[in-house]
Amino acid sequence: MKPAQGGAGARQRQRRRLAGLLAGLAALLVLGLAGLSLGSRSVPPGESLAAFWAFDPGNDLHLIVRGLRVPRTLLAMLAGAALGVAGALMQAITRNPLAEPGLLGINAGAAVAVLIGVTAFGLDRVEQYVWFGFAGAGLAGVAVFVLGRAQESGTDPVRLVLAGAGLSVVLGSLTGIILLNAPAEVYETFRHWGAGAVEGRGFGVLVALGLALLLGGAIAQVLAPGLNALALGRDLGQMLGVRPEVSWALACLAIMLLAGAATAAAGPIGLIGLVAPHLARLVTGPDYRWIVPYAALSGAALLLLADVLGRIVAPPAEIAAGIVAALLGGPFFIMAVRRFRLARP
């Protein structure tokens, strides 16, 4: 009787996960249509769709949709998905529910590296930023894990968050020093990028970010069964055939690709990587084979929602998606800290 009940429960969970995935995709499509239609100049939804099925080069609304809104919407989706998967990986390998690229200094490392690329090497295109973003994210991640001794005590949220906060302060100070001594045009370029904006990017950025998301997401999905085993503890994971060092190295590579590319393309955006995996777990439970795709979907929807809200809250001006994401994610972070009891008794 019990096995039959267990089988029924598994089928029910599977149906719930598939239903949640379909509902999430439908919500993302609705947000995508809103992203194409809303802005300083509104475009009727039917006209937005007509820009694809019956494109008229003489129609300025079609030109706005295809030339400006499509790359902006896709960038928000891809960057949000990358940050969501990166956050899920970080929470898995550190066994820390508060881990995410922004809180642990990964985004700040990518930001400093991009700024160095702009000031020292004269880079002026986002496609060129990506490589510096990769390097900065990777170095910052290694620094936080070493300072926080995450490999030894990843379950200690205090040590990791403090290490990340300390590194973020140092990198933020370094960013300020470089900016204060940089030419005015560098400041203007970085000011727009540093707010976490997704507008004004070309399709070349989407290609670079899409490739990073594809590779990093594939690594995360391959690692997912091993992450489930390591969630039971390092020793038990090894008994189940998982090699923690290999999982750590591959996960760090994926995080570097995902967070580095997202930050280089859209600027430093925090809290998406924290919120998306928790939203995923509400539907999927603790199985990382499902958390990874759900975190990608949740992250894409969250950042796109932040971008759409940023366009309509103070028209005709716009608020950068990174600022809106921080405003939305701040209360969630406080709730997470209280729920997981960050402070030790």
Side-chain angles (χ1 to χ4, degrees):
M1 185 66 183
K2 286 184 178 179
Q5 289 177 342
R11 286 194 294 273
Q12 187 177 6
R13 284 195 299 273
Q14 196 79 346
R15 284 197 294 269
R16 187 179 64 182
R17 289 165 175 167
L18 290 174
L21 202 57
L22 292 176
L25 287 172
L28 189 61
L29 286 177
V30 172
L31 286 171
L33 184 58
L36 297 178
S37 303
L38 299 177
S40 56
R41 184 173 181 184
S42 296
V43 180
E47 201 68 34
S48 297
L49 295 176
F52 296 96
W53 312 125
F55 177 65
D56 178 6
N59 188 329
D60 57 343
L61 294 180
H62 289 190
L63 294 176
I64 290 173
V65 169
R66 294 186 64 155
L68 300 176
R69 301 278 172 80
V70 168
R72 178 175 183 168
T73 301
L74 290 177
L75 177 59
M77 290 183 179
L78 294 176
L83 292 172
V85 176
L89 281 178
M90 294 189 73
Q91 291 174 14
I93 63 174
T94 62
R95 299 178 64 195
N96 183 339
L98 299 178
E100 71 105 18
L103 289 176
L104 297 188
I106 307 298
N107 292 348
V112 170
V114 168
L115 183 57
I116 291 174
V118 173
T119 54
F121 300 97
L123 305 183
D124 58 359
R125 292 185 292 117
V126 180
E127 295 91 329
Q128 299 170 323
Y129 299 169
V130 170
W131 304 107
F132 282 81
F134 288 157
L139 291 175
V142 170
V144 168
F145 291 153
V146 171
L147 291 172
R149 295 165 58 190
Q151 195 167 1
E152 301 173 13
S153 56
T155 55
D156 186 347
V158 177
R159 183 172 292 168
L160 271 183
V161 171
L162 288 179
L167 184 66
S168 295
V169 171
V170 172
L171 293 176
S173 301
L174 183 58
T175 300
I177 293 171
I178 296 174
L179 275 179
L180 288 174
N181 293 280
E185 56 270 20
V186 172
Y187 175 77
E188 285 300 316
T189 300
F190 188 81
R191 185 172 66 89
H192 179 70
W193 177 84
V198 294
E199 76 271 18
R201 308 292 196 261
F203 284 98
V205 178
L206 298 177
V207 174
L209 179 55
L211 290 175
L213 176 60
L214 189 64
L215 182 56
I219 294 174
Q221 198 62 48
V222 170
L223 287 176
L227 296 177
N228 286 339
L230 289 176
L232 302 174
R234 182 190 179 98
D235 294 337
L236 191 54
Q238 285 179 307
M239 291 175 63
L240 293 173
V242 178
R243 297 174 61 187
E245 293 78 10
V246 175
S247 296
W248 263 77
L250 290 175
C252 288
L253 174 63
I255 291 168
M256 184 187 73
L257 288 171
L258 295 165
T263 304
I269 296 175
L271 299 179
I272 296 292
L274 170 70
V275 178
H278 287 288
L279 291 180
R281 286 190 192 90
L282 291 177
V283 180
T284 66
D287 189 344
Y288 276 95
R289 293 173 300 177
W290 286 90
I291 288 176
V292 168
Y294 260 88
L297 185 59
S298 302
L302 284 172
L303 189 54
L304 185 54
L305 175 63
D307 182 42
V308 171
L309 289 176
R311 303 181 205 178
I312 61 178
V313 293
E318 295 185 358
I319 300 176
I323 297 174
V324 179
L327 292 174
L328 294 176
F332 183 90
F333 175 67
I334 296 172
M335 183 180 69
V337 169
R338 292 174 61 87
R339 177 181 177 186
F340 296 110
R341 297 179 181 177
L342 179 64
R344 284 179 169 176

